[in-house]
Amino acid sequence: RFRMKNVSQNSEVTIEAAATQAPTVFVYVAAAFAALGGLLFGYDTGVISGALIFIRQSFALSTFHQEIVVSVVLVTACIGALGGGPLADRLGRRKILLVTSLIFMTGAIVCAAAMSVTTLVVGRTIVGLGIGFASSTVPLYISEVAPARVRGWLVSLFQLAITVGILTAYLVDYSFARTENWRWMLGLALIPGAMLFLGMLVLPETPRWYAQRAQLDSARRVLMRIRGTQAVDAEFNEIRATLQQAHERGQLSDLLLPEVRPALVIGVGLAVFQQITGINTVIYYAPTIIQSAGISSASGAILATAGIGFVNVVMTVVSMWLIDRVGRRALLLTGIAGMAISLGALGYVFHLPARAGGIAEIAVFTLMAYVASFAISLGPIFWLLIAEIYPLKIRGATEGIAAGTNWAANFLVALTFLTLVQTFGPSQTFWLYGVLAVAAWIFSYYLVPETKGRTLEEIENSWRLKRHEPRPS
Ligand code: BGC
């Protein structure tokens, strides 16, 4: 297991000062606006399940077309994340977030106004790009403006916004279901899109991006503005010193450097594990799973689904409360263990012959335990870690690779879930996800570092230092 160390004992005092920096209202506002990108991510991925029933009727869609309308978003989100990361390194985090908001707004309008299935697919393609850009840039932006002491929960605002977006989508779908108005369901994303645009118009670029582009005056000016004090020397000097030590030139070949590779393995590994442990089979297919567990009424299934969405939000808040106190590792390992156990139990429930009586309720309860375990661990902590562990010079590109991998894995699970259930049955499918959760636990136990309370520069230096040291046990 990795342990972080400072570059030298002398820098400890400086780092200490920067790490204990108090947050200002400005930072909260900046983080909250950027997190709207997460709200759109959650809303746009969640809204389609309810809207699809009516879209199918409007355009007489074949199964193939339905699959395209749903999954094209995952494909273009992957492309958007991979492309958005390097663009955020080159053009700045703020500019990319402005572009992201414009993409979301355009996508919402095209979807809502679509008169043919082709236009609808074009609209969903645009929305996917926006989601991809948001997923590689929002956590990055927040982590680079947040003081170390509260960075964990501030970056986790992104995950909270995703879960609120999903829950809102369920509720919007439900309230427009009677009028069958799928255009409103898809078009409402225009509102958070416009809010994100207005917010990013007035919010600044991150000081770390300016420093990386050698615009040191701007870096210092923004740092003073977001910290609400002139006394920013400790943090400013630390950013500069770390940049001077960096071997990276900000090119693709840097990914193979010994100080970048382990962090890349962690980001990509967690990206895959976040998805292949099955979270989106529950998020996307909850009503179907619940119905097959024995709650046959549609309204009962919808209610239980909303309950699951609610648990997801509440437990993300619990995680945010704990993340800067108990640390990332403790939460991650506890949560993944909970996921493995509840997946095992879920497989067992579906294994039972009769799904009558209390069994259906037990299934719903187990689903909730699973989502709760995800919400305190792999949900927020994946997005947080990939915004913390990469060197500044190539932070956008590396975070983009991790986020892009997450979307590719999401797509893979979406493609295979129904086939797995048909071929092996639900029990074996959930057990398979359970075994993968055990693998995720082992991976995290041995590889994931503790980043609580450390500045981004301290984390970056610790990778560099490890190069010259035997690997800690
Ligand atoms: C994942 C999404 C998932 C969501 C559920 C996010 O962290 O990346 O794929 O739908 O959590 O809350």
Side-chain angles (χ1 to χ4, degrees), residues 148-208:
R149 202 171 62 166
V150 291
R151 192 181 56 240
W153 84 258
L154 276 182
V155 177
S156 302
L157 274 178
F158 178 62
Q159 175 69 16
L160 179 65
I162 295 174
T163 60
V164 171
I166 294 172
L167 183 61
T168 311
Y170 287 161
L171 298 175
V172 167
D173 280 358
Y174 184 65
S175 49
F176 282 106
R178 242 174 306 130
T179 52
E180 306 193 352
N181 203 332
W182 61 266
R183 292 180 191 281
W184 271 97
M185 296 177 188
L186 301 184
L188 274 180
L190 194 63
I191 299 171
M195 283 164 67
L196 177 62
F197 179 77
L198 293 177
M200 292 320 295
L201 265 188
V202 289
L203 288 168
E205 181 50 74
T206 78
R208 287 173 170 87

Side-chain angles (χ1 to χ4, degrees), residues 363-386:
V364 172
F365 176 78
T366 318
L367 276 177
M368 286 182 172
Y370 165 74
V371 170
S373 308
F374 172 87
I376 59 161
S377 61
L378 272 177
I381 296 177
F382 162 66
W383 295 109
L384 171 60
L385 281 173
I386 65 167

Side-chain angles (χ1 to χ4, degrees), residues 41-42 45 158-159 162-163 166 274-275 279-280 283-284 312 316 371 374-375 378-380 382-383 406-407 410:
F41 166 156
T45 50
F158 178 62
Q159 175 69 16
I162 295 174
T163 60
I166 294 172
Q274 198 208 37
Q275 294 298 325
I279 184 62
N280 285 316
I283 300 293
Y284 302 164
N312 198 9
T316 305
V371 170
F374 172 87
L378 272 177
F382 162 66
W383 295 109
N406 187 265
W407 287 109
N410 189 335

Side-chain angles (χ1 to χ4, degrees), residues 9 25 29 77 92 101 132 142 157 237 245 314 334 336 388 446 448:
Q9 298 303 318
V25 174
V29 173
S101 66
I142 303 179
L157 274 178
N237 290 338
Q245 275 162 11
V314 171
T334 311
I336 298 178
E388 294 185 323
Y446 284 106
V448 173

Side-chain angles (χ1 to χ4, degrees), residues 77-78 81-82 132 135-136 267 271 382-383 386 398-408:
C78 176
L82 290 172
S135 63
S136 59
F382 162 66
W383 295 109
I386 65 167
T398 36
E399 171 154 4
I401 290 173
T405 309
N406 187 265
W407 287 109

Side-chain angles (χ1 to χ4, degrees), residues 237-318:
N237 290 338
E238 195 190 357
I239 296 173
R240 257 182 42 187
T242 305
L243 275 168
Q244 277 160 9
Q245 275 162 11
H247 300 169
E248 304 85 32
R249 296 170 301 278
Q251 292 170 359
L252 218 57
S253 57
D254 294 345
L255 298 179
L256 299 175
L257 286 171
E259 59 256 45
V260 180
R261 229 182 314 150
L264 203 60
V265 170
I266 293 169
V268 167
L270 286 179
V272 173
F273 281 125
Q274 198 208 37
Q275 294 298 325
I276 63 170
T277 44
I279 184 62
N280 285 316
T281 65
V282 178
I283 300 293
Y284 302 164
Y285 295 105
T288 319
I289 300 177
I290 291 166
Q291 279 187 330
S292 65
I295 296 185
S296 51
S297 80
S299 59
I302 290 173
L303 200 67
T305 305
I308 287 170
F310 185 68
V311 167
N312 198 9
V313 174
V314 171
M315 291 309 286
T316 305
V317 174
V318 171

